[in-house]
Amino acid sequence: MMAFSWPQVAALLLCLSLTSSSFAAADLNNRVLAEEQKKTETKKVNSNTIASAGTVELYNGNGDVSATGACAADVKSFCKDVGAGEGRLSACLTKRIRSQKQGNVVGKKIGSKCIDELAKFKIDRSSNINKDVALARACKDDVAKLCKDASDSSQPGSTLACLRDKKGKLAGACKTEVYRNQQEASEDYRVDYKLYTACKDDVKNLCSDVDPGDGREIECLAAKRIQVSWECQNQMFRNEKESGDDIRLSVRLFNKCIGDYQKFCKDVEPGQMRVQECLEDNSDESGFSAECKEELENILAKRVSDFRLDTVLRESCESDLEEMCGVKLKEMDDEEKKKRAGLNCLQQYKEELKSEKCKAEVHRRMKRAAKDIRFDEVLANACYEDRAKFCNDVQPGSSRVIRCLLDHRNSLAQKCAAALFDHEVRMAEDIDFKYPMKKACAWEMSHFCKNTPHGHARIVRCLEEHMDNTDMSKECKDEVVRDMNRMAQDYRLNWRLNHACEGEINKLCANLCSTAPGQTCGGLVLQCLQEKQDNITNQACQDEVFYYELMEVTDFRNDVILAEACRNDVEAYCKDVEPGEGRVHQCLRFNRDKISERCRNEEMKLAAIEYRDIRLRPKLNKLCSEEKAVYCKDVKPGKARVIKCLMENMAQPNFGEECKEELQKREDVMKTDYRYDVGVFTNCQSDVEAFCKEAKTKLRGNATVLKCLVENFRQITEQCQTEMSRAVRLALWDYKPGAALTAACDKDVDTNCPRGSRSKSGAVFTIGVVGRCLSKSLVEGKRLESRCRDLVLVAAPKDARAYFEYPESTGAIVQKIADMQKAAGLEAVLVDPYARNGSTVTVTGWVALACIISLIVVMVGGAFLAYKRFIGADKPHTLHVKMGDA
């Protein structure tokens, strides 16, 4: 026990007395300050910053949450350095609450009573812009300029609603404050006055069991939209439209994509759909979360299905829609037909749009439609039933559903098939719209086509041109081949040819294909362009038609008409042959005596096209590369000009054996079918129709048309005569026993030209031997079989042909001279009519002597002239005459 003296006790009592007094004084002082603050807070203060909104009383007298009520302790803990008024304490507490939700707070948290008090303040503030002092001050000029007709006094919340609707036109400070308000509304729908007023009863009736906050009430209503009142639905739509372009205002998307946002798009400024588009562009990257991708696709699908929600496209393309497409946004919102017309116009004339931003947005919209059927509203609606029937288990995205429908195109309903075809035509322009190919060929694009710009199917063409590269993956090659096969089925799927040949198609191939939406025309137009390619004047179109022909000769599936005609024949004779590099064509031609008539005819048509241009015969082109360079370097490819040049030089001593052998194979085919001879086919069409129509129906590699033209040679046109003369001359020049065209001369060759018939086939010395032999036989008057004689006459030059075709040209003249000689009393002086060869003129006696002398004079004169030319005496010269007194 401790003992204290009286002085110590007295001192202790005095100390306690002073301490008690000090605490009492401090407490009194706090109570006084609190009373003064309370009086200040509860003092009525009016606000009229924006006159059109009306005069209002500020909440708590300072336009802020109370610092002494339910939030007193939280204000003291978290906002002690923040001055009350104009929403500053509210902003401080709101920031703390957000950190709590994100799990970034350790220790004490803001209490539920304060959160309720804060919500009460924000709800009251949302009814009139003047209650939000910071917002009213920042947006005063914008309201006067953009929302002067809005009045919160008559329609609460209308001024702020107007500012949100015109967010893109606001000044920076106002835009910041409007965003702050939108962010608060995304966290608590009650802060959006119009939304809260319209939907509070629906929330109470339909979503009372939902944990309030973070947009969960609106999510609940969206799931039960069919039961929600019209007024609430309208306000929900308006809210979705206003907040959809900023990921921070879409709570559900933001929460599901926060990790992907920080990983892939952390440097992208939110707003104008920038973050959403960044996430979209990276959604196929490794490490991108499935839940973010799913939510993002759901939101994008909703925006595509309702044009009013696509705020970025609307803002970017408004002027182009009006100027180029003649339609206004309001009209598109009110009429479905005008909406579709406007969107189709933007896609169809994408390259001609004035706004680069609009071009980019249209391109992005088309990329989405190519990747996911949900993003193509027309296709999704048209194929709803077929999708359920054929592709019900196929997940949307990555073009999976669209690919599934394409695989079942022959079984689709007409409206779905039409919409699918129109979709393919629109997507033919850019590899960005061919998602499976773009994904499969990502490496090839970066290596083979890195400097090739997108658009106009340039990347697609680049990949096609590198198909033979051994570094191209099988996956990429398969996609490129699939695409080529598909574009060959209708010219409109071949973007480059379609645009290059638009005028030529209208001029040369009009009415072959229906212009009705979704109507395909197979290969009719492509075949027409090939048949009339000599009439094509546009060089770009000529190039594209030639490229299509290269596709045809490479892969039989790229000729849709031939592929259909030969379907059963390929299955029967060539099913083990891998398509590509012309292998199936070779197989069908090898079996030409077995395949169907229809298939044979189509193969012959294609072979005729091949013979027009050496570049369409890869083997021949390769074997004759040196000969082309030496003998035909200045000859333009096409119309068989290079091949004709090579054939004319076959007898040259240095002409390669391999090239010669391949040319002779080609010539053998030409001699069996007139369609393989470009000159005859082009210049004799009218004559074939006039004289050989029936022979045309019997074509089977038997030269029926060529023989018919020979029989009617005197009646056919001069241009056809010229080409037939050349063709028959070549056939006799490179004669082969048993050839269909020249078989009529086999006996005469055996009789008159034994060396020609016995010589080794293909040897150099055989070329021209038979032709010269038969010509000599005809000149010498030897008897030739009539059809062989006709062939030799057709092959003869025009002037020489006349000598044999008209008998009076020789024999008759000789007889007339003999008659004149007899009448003059001369016997065998001028001619001998009884000479062994009646087709020659025989001179006798002094006439013969005169002829010999004349011949000598001619020879001497010729030699003299030749000598003068050799020494240059016949060249122009100047004569100098010297004048003088000599």
Short mmCIF file of all heavy atoms in Angstrom, two decimals, residues 736-777:
data_model
loop_
_atom_site.label_atom_id
_atom_site.label_comp_id
_atom_site.label_asym_id
_atom_site.label_seq_id
_atom_site.Cartn_x
_atom_site.Cartn_y
_atom_site.Cartn_z
N LYS A 736 1.67 -37.70 -141.04
CA LYS A 736 1.78 -38.96 -140.33
C LYS A 736 0.73 -39.90 -140.89
O LYS A 736 -0.44 -39.52 -141.01
CB LYS A 736 1.59 -38.77 -138.82
CG LYS A 736 2.76 -38.13 -138.12
CD LYS A 736 2.53 -38.09 -136.62
CE LYS A 736 3.77 -37.53 -135.91
NZ LYS A 736 4.09 -36.18 -136.31
N PRO A 737 1.10 -41.10 -141.25
CA PRO A 737 0.14 -42.06 -141.80
C PRO A 737 -1.03 -42.28 -140.84
O PRO A 737 -0.84 -42.39 -139.62
CB PRO A 737 0.95 -43.35 -141.97
CG PRO A 737 2.37 -42.91 -142.03
CD PRO A 737 2.46 -41.69 -141.16
N GLY A 738 -2.23 -42.32 -141.38
CA GLY A 738 -3.41 -42.60 -140.57
C GLY A 738 -4.02 -41.41 -139.89
O GLY A 738 -5.07 -41.52 -139.24
N ALA A 739 -3.37 -40.22 -139.98
CA ALA A 739 -3.95 -39.01 -139.35
C ALA A 739 -5.30 -38.69 -140.00
O ALA A 739 -5.45 -38.81 -141.22
CB ALA A 739 -2.99 -37.84 -139.53
N ALA A 740 -6.27 -38.30 -139.18
CA ALA A 740 -7.65 -38.15 -139.65
C ALA A 740 -7.76 -37.20 -140.83
O ALA A 740 -8.47 -37.48 -141.81
CB ALA A 740 -8.54 -37.67 -138.50
N LEU A 741 -7.07 -36.07 -140.78
CA LEU A 741 -7.23 -35.06 -141.83
C LEU A 741 -6.57 -35.49 -143.13
O LEU A 741 -7.10 -35.26 -144.22
CB LEU A 741 -6.65 -33.72 -141.35
CG LEU A 741 -6.71 -32.57 -142.34
CD1 LEU A 741 -8.15 -32.27 -142.77
CD2 LEU A 741 -6.07 -31.31 -141.73
N THR A 742 -5.40 -36.13 -143.04
CA THR A 742 -4.62 -36.43 -144.24
C THR A 742 -4.67 -37.90 -144.64
O THR A 742 -3.91 -38.35 -145.51
CB THR A 742 -3.15 -36.02 -144.03
OG1 THR A 742 -2.65 -36.72 -142.87
CG2 THR A 742 -3.03 -34.53 -143.82
N ALA A 743 -5.59 -38.67 -144.03
CA ALA A 743 -5.67 -40.11 -144.34
C ALA A 743 -5.97 -40.36 -145.82
O ALA A 743 -5.58 -41.39 -146.39
CB ALA A 743 -6.73 -40.77 -143.46
N ALA A 744 -6.66 -39.39 -146.47
CA ALA A 744 -7.00 -39.55 -147.90
C ALA A 744 -5.76 -39.63 -148.77
O ALA A 744 -5.83 -40.09 -149.92
CB ALA A 744 -7.89 -38.38 -148.34
N CYS A 745 -4.62 -39.19 -148.26
CA CYS A 745 -3.38 -39.18 -149.06
C CYS A 745 -2.48 -40.37 -148.74
O CYS A 745 -1.37 -40.46 -149.30
CB CYS A 745 -2.61 -37.89 -148.83
SG CYS A 745 -3.42 -36.42 -149.52
N ASP A 746 -2.89 -41.26 -147.87
CA ASP A 746 -2.01 -42.37 -147.47
C ASP A 746 -1.58 -43.22 -148.66
O ASP A 746 -0.40 -43.57 -148.81
CB ASP A 746 -2.71 -43.24 -146.42
CG ASP A 746 -2.75 -42.56 -145.05
OD1 ASP A 746 -2.13 -41.48 -144.90
OD2 ASP A 746 -3.40 -43.10 -144.14
N LYS A 747 -2.55 -43.57 -149.55
CA LYS A 747 -2.22 -44.41 -150.70
C LYS A 747 -1.30 -43.68 -151.67
O LYS A 747 -0.34 -44.26 -152.21
CB LYS A 747 -3.49 -44.83 -151.43
CG LYS A 747 -4.32 -45.84 -150.65
CD LYS A 747 -5.55 -46.28 -151.46
CE LYS A 747 -6.38 -47.30 -150.68
NZ LYS A 747 -7.57 -47.72 -151.47
N ASP A 748 -1.59 -42.41 -151.91
CA ASP A 748 -0.74 -41.63 -152.82
C ASP A 748 0.66 -41.47 -152.26
O ASP A 748 1.64 -41.47 -153.03
CB ASP A 748 -1.36 -40.25 -153.07
CG ASP A 748 -2.67 -40.36 -153.84
OD1 ASP A 748 -2.68 -40.95 -154.93
OD2 ASP A 748 -3.70 -39.85 -153.32
N VAL A 749 0.78 -41.34 -150.96
CA VAL A 749 2.11 -41.25 -150.35
C VAL A 749 2.85 -42.57 -150.53
O VAL A 749 4.04 -42.60 -150.87
CB VAL A 749 2.00 -40.90 -148.84
CG1 VAL A 749 3.36 -41.01 -148.16
CG2 VAL A 749 1.45 -39.49 -148.67
N ASP A 750 2.14 -43.69 -150.33
CA ASP A 750 2.77 -45.00 -150.53
C ASP A 750 3.26 -45.17 -151.97
O ASP A 750 4.32 -45.73 -152.23
CB ASP A 750 1.77 -46.12 -150.21
CG ASP A 750 1.58 -46.29 -148.71
OD1 ASP A 750 2.48 -45.85 -147.97
OD2 ASP A 750 0.55 -46.83 -148.29
N THR A 751 2.44 -44.65 -152.90
CA THR A 751 2.76 -44.83 -154.32
C THR A 751 3.87 -43.89 -154.78
O THR A 751 4.81 -44.32 -155.47
CB THR A 751 1.50 -44.57 -155.17
OG1 THR A 751 0.47 -45.46 -154.76
CG2 THR A 751 1.80 -44.79 -156.66
N ASN A 752 3.76 -42.61 -154.43
CA ASN A 752 4.65 -41.59 -154.98
C ASN A 752 5.77 -41.15 -154.04
O ASN A 752 6.75 -40.57 -154.50
CB ASN A 752 3.83 -40.35 -155.37
CG ASN A 752 2.76 -40.68 -156.40
OD1 ASN A 752 3.05 -41.26 -157.45
ND2 ASN A 752 1.52 -40.32 -156.11
N CYS A 753 5.58 -41.42 -152.76
CA CYS A 753 6.56 -40.91 -151.79
C CYS A 753 6.98 -42.01 -150.82
O CYS A 753 6.75 -41.89 -149.61
CB CYS A 753 6.00 -39.74 -151.00
SG CYS A 753 5.07 -38.55 -151.97
N PRO A 754 7.53 -43.10 -151.29
CA PRO A 754 7.85 -44.22 -150.39
C PRO A 754 8.79 -43.83 -149.26
O PRO A 754 8.67 -44.32 -148.15
CB PRO A 754 8.50 -45.24 -151.33
CG PRO A 754 8.96 -44.46 -152.53
CD PRO A 754 7.98 -43.34 -152.68
N ARG A 755 9.68 -42.93 -149.54
CA ARG A 755 10.62 -42.53 -148.48
C ARG A 755 9.87 -41.86 -147.32
O ARG A 755 10.15 -42.08 -146.16
CB ARG A 755 11.68 -41.58 -149.04
CG ARG A 755 12.71 -41.17 -148.00
CD ARG A 755 13.69 -40.16 -148.53
NE ARG A 755 14.60 -39.73 -147.50
CZ ARG A 755 15.44 -38.72 -147.61
NH1 ARG A 755 15.48 -38.06 -148.76
NH2 ARG A 755 16.23 -38.38 -146.63
N GLY A 756 8.88 -41.02 -147.69
CA GLY A 756 8.13 -40.32 -146.65
C GLY A 756 7.37 -41.26 -145.76
O GLY A 756 7.26 -41.06 -144.57
N SER A 757 6.81 -42.34 -146.34
CA SER A 757 6.00 -43.24 -145.53
C SER A 757 6.85 -44.17 -144.69
O SER A 757 6.41 -44.69 -143.68
CB SER A 757 5.08 -44.06 -146.43
OG SER A 757 5.85 -44.86 -147.32
N ARG A 758 8.10 -44.38 -145.17
CA ARG A 758 8.93 -45.34 -144.44
C ARG A 758 9.79 -44.66 -143.39
O ARG A 758 10.36 -45.31 -142.54
CB ARG A 758 9.86 -46.06 -145.42
CG ARG A 758 9.16 -47.01 -146.36
CD ARG A 758 10.19 -47.94 -146.99
NE ARG A 758 11.29 -47.22 -147.62
CZ ARG A 758 11.28 -46.86 -148.90
NH1 ARG A 758 10.23 -47.14 -149.65
NH2 ARG A 758 12.31 -46.24 -149.41
N SER A 759 9.91 -43.34 -143.46
CA SER A 759 10.83 -42.64 -142.57
C SER A 759 10.38 -42.71 -141.12
O SER A 759 9.22 -42.88 -140.82
CB SER A 759 10.97 -41.18 -142.99
OG SER A 759 9.71 -40.58 -142.99
N LYS A 760 11.33 -42.55 -140.28
CA LYS A 760 11.08 -42.63 -138.84
C LYS A 760 10.22 -41.47 -138.38
O LYS A 760 10.52 -40.32 -138.66
CB LYS A 760 12.41 -42.61 -138.11
CG LYS A 760 12.28 -42.71 -136.60
CD LYS A 760 13.67 -42.65 -135.96
CE LYS A 760 13.56 -42.64 -134.46
NZ LYS A 760 14.88 -42.52 -133.80
N SER A 761 9.17 -41.79 -137.68
CA SER A 761 8.25 -40.74 -137.21
C SER A 761 8.97 -39.81 -136.25
O SER A 761 9.63 -40.24 -135.31
CB SER A 761 7.05 -41.38 -136.52
OG SER A 761 6.22 -40.38 -135.99
N GLY A 762 8.83 -38.52 -136.49
CA GLY A 762 9.40 -37.53 -135.59
C GLY A 762 10.80 -37.12 -135.94
O GLY A 762 11.34 -36.18 -135.38
N ALA A 763 11.46 -37.82 -136.86
CA ALA A 763 12.83 -37.45 -137.23
C ALA A 763 12.82 -36.16 -138.03
O ALA A 763 11.86 -35.84 -138.71
CB ALA A 763 13.47 -38.57 -138.04
N VAL A 764 13.92 -35.41 -137.97
CA VAL A 764 13.98 -34.10 -138.62
C VAL A 764 13.73 -34.21 -140.12
O VAL A 764 13.00 -33.42 -140.70
CB VAL A 764 15.35 -33.44 -138.36
CG1 VAL A 764 15.46 -32.15 -139.14
CG2 VAL A 764 15.54 -33.21 -136.88
N PHE A 765 14.32 -35.23 -140.78
CA PHE A 765 14.24 -35.29 -142.25
C PHE A 765 12.84 -35.57 -142.75
O PHE A 765 12.56 -35.41 -143.92
CB PHE A 765 15.22 -36.32 -142.79
CG PHE A 765 14.91 -37.74 -142.41
CD1 PHE A 765 14.03 -38.52 -143.16
CD2 PHE A 765 15.51 -38.32 -141.28
CE1 PHE A 765 13.77 -39.83 -142.81
CE2 PHE A 765 15.24 -39.62 -140.94
CZ PHE A 765 14.37 -40.39 -141.68
N THR A 766 11.92 -35.99 -141.88
CA THR A 766 10.57 -36.26 -142.36
C THR A 766 9.76 -34.99 -142.54
O THR A 766 8.80 -34.96 -143.30
CB THR A 766 9.81 -37.17 -141.36
OG1 THR A 766 9.65 -36.48 -140.13
CG2 THR A 766 10.54 -38.46 -141.15
N ILE A 767 10.12 -33.93 -141.84
CA ILE A 767 9.33 -32.71 -141.89
C ILE A 767 9.42 -32.09 -143.28
O ILE A 767 10.50 -31.80 -143.78
CB ILE A 767 9.81 -31.70 -140.84
CG1 ILE A 767 9.58 -32.27 -139.44
CG2 ILE A 767 9.10 -30.36 -141.00
CD1 ILE A 767 10.06 -31.38 -138.32
N GLY A 768 8.31 -31.95 -143.93
CA GLY A 768 8.24 -31.32 -145.24
C GLY A 768 8.40 -32.26 -146.41
O GLY A 768 8.10 -31.90 -147.55
N VAL A 769 8.90 -33.50 -146.19
CA VAL A 769 9.17 -34.42 -147.29
C VAL A 769 7.89 -34.76 -148.04
O VAL A 769 7.81 -34.67 -149.27
CB VAL A 769 9.86 -35.70 -146.76
CG1 VAL A 769 9.91 -36.76 -147.86
CG2 VAL A 769 11.25 -35.38 -146.26
N VAL A 770 6.84 -35.16 -147.32
CA VAL A 770 5.60 -35.59 -147.96
C VAL A 770 4.92 -34.41 -148.64
O VAL A 770 4.40 -34.53 -149.75
CB VAL A 770 4.67 -36.27 -146.93
CG1 VAL A 770 3.28 -36.50 -147.54
CG2 VAL A 770 5.27 -37.58 -146.47
N GLY A 771 4.92 -33.27 -148.00
CA GLY A 771 4.29 -32.09 -148.60
C GLY A 771 4.92 -31.75 -149.94
O GLY A 771 4.22 -31.50 -150.94
N ARG A 772 6.26 -31.76 -150.02
CA ARG A 772 6.95 -31.45 -151.28
C ARG A 772 6.69 -32.54 -152.33
O ARG A 772 6.51 -32.26 -153.51
CB ARG A 772 8.45 -31.28 -151.03
CG ARG A 772 8.82 -30.00 -150.32
CD ARG A 772 10.32 -29.77 -150.37
NE ARG A 772 11.03 -30.75 -149.55
CZ ARG A 772 11.32 -30.58 -148.26
NH1 ARG A 772 10.94 -29.46 -147.64
NH2 ARG A 772 11.98 -31.50 -147.59
N CYS A 773 6.65 -33.77 -151.85
CA CYS A 773 6.43 -34.89 -152.77
C CYS A 773 5.06 -34.81 -153.43
O CYS A 773 4.94 -34.95 -154.66
CB CYS A 773 6.57 -36.21 -152.00
SG CYS A 773 6.05 -37.67 -152.93
N LEU A 774 4.03 -34.57 -152.66
CA LEU A 774 2.67 -34.50 -153.20
C LEU A 774 2.52 -33.28 -154.12
O LEU A 774 1.84 -33.35 -155.16
CB LEU A 774 1.64 -34.46 -152.07
CG LEU A 774 1.52 -35.75 -151.25
CD1 LEU A 774 0.56 -35.54 -150.07
CD2 LEU A 774 1.04 -36.92 -152.11
N SER A 775 3.14 -32.16 -153.74
CA SER A 775 3.08 -30.97 -154.59
C SER A 775 3.74 -31.24 -155.94
O SER A 775 3.22 -30.88 -157.01
CB SER A 775 3.77 -29.78 -153.90
OG SER A 775 3.15 -29.50 -152.67
N LYS A 776 4.88 -31.92 -155.91
CA LYS A 776 5.61 -32.24 -157.13
C LYS A 776 4.79 -33.19 -158.01
O LYS A 776 4.73 -33.05 -159.24
CB LYS A 776 6.96 -32.87 -156.78
CG LYS A 776 7.82 -33.19 -158.00
CD LYS A 776 9.14 -33.81 -157.57
CE LYS A 776 9.96 -34.19 -158.79
NZ LYS A 776 11.23 -34.86 -158.41
N SER A 777 4.14 -34.15 -157.36
CA SER A 777 3.32 -35.11 -158.10
C SER A 777 2.19 -34.40 -158.82
O SER A 777 1.85 -34.72 -159.97
CB SER A 777 2.74 -36.17 -157.15
OG SER A 777 3.78 -36.91 -156.54
#
